């Protein structure tokens, strides 16, 4: 049964068409108007009348609307406002969706790559192409991108970014900075990395830097080489010359370190990260509203105190060593280098070449971006004491006579009076300083070293070990562990003959 219409619904249907049309539809619905096949004339006329009536009503309604100008404008404005509102809602939804998609994409990107590491250093992070042939040639690990580097270091990408980030102003500092007194006077600034960064720098040293062969002229920080192997070529020479490089580590800047890793074959992305991990900038500490801030001062450079800095410096000066060694051979001189100490030696018949040697050595050093220390150029002839990295080389490898005399006097004094108030150098604990000096003597002259060891054993039997007071280390200072040379026989160092640096 059809639903019964209300009076209002009947009125609205009649108003929309006509009374006759409504009656016709109802009669057809109820079965009182039978029209099989073709409609009758009356039915056609009623439908036409209803259609004309409907059209007329629409025209009259439109006419009434447009006859009132203000009503028409208002209607158009409402229509536009409605359309604009719908458009704004649609645009807002699209923007919100776009924002969500962008945030999601950014999150995914951050999980897979490092996009920013601070001002002035982030430009090359999107260059991921490496010279794989070079890396494989020198057995260096290949990293497809920053994520692969982080996985090899066994840390996540966020931690890698945190350690490498170049912050102009920060509340954190990855280094402990303090000063140590030099033997020659003055103070040396040490920047020791904190544990996590030190662990990463050690990883870089062992997995990358140690894979590259050093020059035969380099003796500092190289396995199986020491101050002894550095001094040996200069024994019993008529003339010995020492030249020091000024501000050696600070001269090696972030750009030079990055250039080194790029030349080894690494992509600019990986080279940027590695060089940021191995360099630092001087820090000025300031406090504002009770909060401590660390403000960068100057260019990033190699820190003294990092386990990776010595190896990087040896690779940076590879070309310098080759050039100076070539010059020295041409002038019939021997050349070795221990860190920033450069040593030359020759015979008397080549003494006229010394001025040429010094002149062109300074030129080469300057061309390679280093500076000669003007107060540390020493020319030592046969009639005076000749030293190379602290070792006397006049006739054989030996220890400075005056130092030995003072040391014997110290041991005699301790044997006679005990440990109280005894000092050797500037060391805090005299027993550590004595053991270190004995190891040093033993490395240069094993015969004298053995005698000193026996003397120390007798002192300990007689007086025991000295009392060592506990030192309270300031919170922001981490002591550096200094490893003394091991007792071992002198070894002959073999060097790979391949001049790998020709790739530069």
């Amino acid at each position: 049964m059809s639903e019964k219409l209300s009076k209002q619904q009947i009125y609205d249907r009649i108003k929309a068409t006509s009374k006759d049309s409504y009656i016709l539809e109802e009669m057809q619905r109820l079965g009182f108007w039978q029209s099989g096949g073709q409609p009758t004339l009356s039915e056609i006329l009623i439908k036409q009348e209803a259609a004309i009536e409907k059209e007329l009503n629409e025209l009259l309604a439109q006419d009434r609307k447009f006859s009132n100008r203000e009503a028409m404008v208002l209607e158009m404005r409402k229509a536009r406002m409605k359309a604009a509102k719908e458009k704004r809602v649609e645009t807002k939804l699209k923007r919100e969706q776009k924002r969500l998609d962008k945030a999601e994409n950014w999150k995914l990107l951050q999980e897979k790559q490092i996009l920013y590491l601070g001002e002035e250093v982030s430009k090359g992070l999107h260059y991921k192409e490496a010279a794989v042939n070079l890396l494989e040639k020198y057995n260096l690990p290949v990293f497809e991108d920053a994520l692969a580097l982080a996985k090899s270091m066994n840390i996540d990408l966020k931690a890698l970014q945190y350690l490498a980030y170049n912050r102009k102003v920060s509340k954190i500092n990855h280094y402990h900075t303090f000063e140590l007194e030099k033997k020659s006077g003055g103070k040396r600034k040490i920047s020791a990395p904190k544990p996590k960064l030190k662990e990463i720098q050690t990883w870089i040293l062992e997995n990358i830097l140690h894979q590259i062969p050093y020059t035969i002229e380099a003796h500092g920080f190289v396995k199986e080489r020491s101050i002894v192997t550095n001094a040996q070529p200069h024994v019993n020479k008529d003339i010995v010359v020492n030249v020091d490089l000024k501000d050696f580590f600070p001269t090696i800047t972030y750009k030079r370190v990055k250039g080194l890793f790029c030349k080894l074959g690494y992509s600019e992305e990986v080279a940027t990260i590695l060089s940021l991990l191995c360099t630092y900038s001087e820090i000025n500490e300031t406090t504002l509203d009770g909060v401590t801030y660390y403000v960068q001062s100057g260019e990033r450079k190699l820190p003294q105190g990092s386990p990776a800095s010595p190896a990087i410096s040896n690779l940076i000066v590879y070309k310098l060593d080759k050039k100076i060694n070539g010059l020295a051979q041409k002038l019939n001189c021997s050349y070795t280098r221990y860190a920033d100490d450069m040593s030359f030696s020759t015979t008397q018949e080549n003494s006229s070449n010394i001025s040429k040697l010094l002149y062109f050595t300074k030129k080469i050093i300057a061309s390679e971006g280093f500076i000669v220390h003007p107060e540390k150029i020493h020319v030592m002839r046969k009639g005076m004491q000749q030293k190379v990295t602290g070792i006397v080389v006049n006739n054989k490898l030996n220890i400075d006579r005056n130092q030995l005399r003072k040391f014997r006097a110290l041991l005699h004094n301790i044997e006679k009076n005990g440990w109280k108030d005894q000092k050797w150098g500037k060391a805090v604990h005299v027993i550590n300083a004595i053991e270190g000096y004995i190891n040093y003597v033993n490395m240069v002259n094993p015969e004298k070293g053995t005698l000193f060891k026996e003397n120390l054993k007798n002192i300990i039997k007689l007086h025991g070990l000295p009392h060592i007071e506990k030192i309270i280390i300031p919170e922001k200072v981490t002591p550096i562990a200094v490893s003394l040379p091991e007792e071992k026989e002198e070894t002959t160092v073999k060097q790979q003959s391949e001049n790998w640096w020709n790739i530069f």
Side-chain angles (χ1 to χ4, degrees), residues 182 184 242-245 340-341 372-378:
K182 297 180 181 179
S184 58
N242 288 332
V243 176
D244 274 20
L245 299 178
D340 56 351
D341 295 335
V372 174
H373 200 303
E375 298 176 3
K376 292 188 177 181
I377 299 176
H378 303 288

Side-chain angles (χ1 to χ4, degrees), residues 63-165:
D63 182 64
R64 284 194 300 272
K65 185 192 297 184
F66 292 156
S67 62
N68 186 340
R69 183 178 178 81
E70 291 183 3
M72 181 183 69
V73 172
L74 182 61
E75 187 69 24
M76 292 174 64
R77 188 175 297 164
K78 285 181 179 179
R80 285 200 301 270
M81 289 178 66
K82 183 181 179 182
K85 187 176 181 181
E86 291 174 351
K87 184 71 174 177
R88 282 198 300 271
V89 171
E90 183 183 353
T91 302
K92 187 176 180 180
L93 289 173
K94 285 182 179 179
R95 285 179 178 172
E96 179 64 16
Q97 187 59 47
K98 189 176 180 181
R99 186 189 68 79
L100 292 173
D101 292 343
K102 187 176 180 181
E104 183 63 25
N105 291 335
W106 179 257
K107 184 179 179 181
L108 292 173
L109 278 174
Q110 286 182 314
E111 291 174 356
K112 294 181 179 179
Q113 57 185 292
I114 294 176
L115 302 172
Y116 188 73
L117 283 173
E119 297 178 20
E120 301 174 2
V121 298
S122 301
K123 187 177 179 181
L125 290 175
H126 60 284
Y127 293 109
K128 302 179 184 293
E129 186 175 351
V132 179
N133 58 328
L134 283 178
L135 296 172
E136 291 177 346
K137 182 178 180 180
Y138 302 110
N139 296 318
L140 295 175
V142 179
F143 308 111
E144 183 180 350
D145 52 21
L147 183 60
L149 177 62
K151 286 181 178 178
S152 297
M153 292 178 171
N154 201 26
I155 60 174
D156 59 43
L157 199 62
K158 292 280 187 184
L160 182 63
Q161 185 176 22
Y162 170 76
L163 292 171
Y165 203 94

Side-chain angles (χ1 to χ4, degrees), residues 414-455:
I414 294 173
E415 188 173 9
K416 184 178 180 181
N417 302 310
W419 293 102
K420 188 178 180 181
D421 299 328
Q422 302 293 348
K423 292 284 184 183
W424 180 247
K426 298 177 181 179
V428 177
H429 303 307
V430 66
I431 183 65
N432 293 341
I434 288 174
E435 288 179 337
Y437 187 75
I438 290 175
N439 285 336
Y440 164 66
V441 173
N442 186 73
M443 181 174 61
V444 179
N445 190 324
E447 184 179 347
K448 291 179 181 177
T450 302
L451 292 175
F452 283 140
K453 284 182 181 181
E454 291 300 321
N455 198 349

Side-chain angles (χ1 to χ4, degrees), residues 335-365:
Y335 164 65
T336 62
R337 179 183 59 81
Y338 191 95
D340 56 351
D341 295 335
M342 309 171 78
S343 299
F344 305 87
S345 61
T346 189
T347 55
Q348 183 61 38
E349 56 264 29
N350 297 311
S351 60
S352 59
N353 290 335
I354 296 300
S355 58
K356 288 182 183 179
L357 176 72
L358 289 173
Y359 176 80
F360 287 109
T361 295
K362 290 178 182 178
K363 290 285 186 183
I364 294 171
I365 290 171

Side-chain angles (χ1 to χ4, degrees), residues 4 13 84 122 159 176 184 188 226 239 266 332 339 396 421:
K4 188 176 180 181
R13 284 184 61 182
S122 301
H176 292 300
S184 58
R188 186 187 306 279
S226 63
I239 302 172
Y266 287 109
N332 297 315
K396 62 178 182 178
D421 299 328

Side-chain angles (χ1 to χ4, degrees), residues 272-286:
T272 297
I273 296 169
L274 291 174
S275 54
L276 286 171
L277 290 169
C278 294
T279 58
Y280 90 118
S281 176
E282 293 282 355
I283 294 293
N284 292 324
E285 187 176 324
T286 184

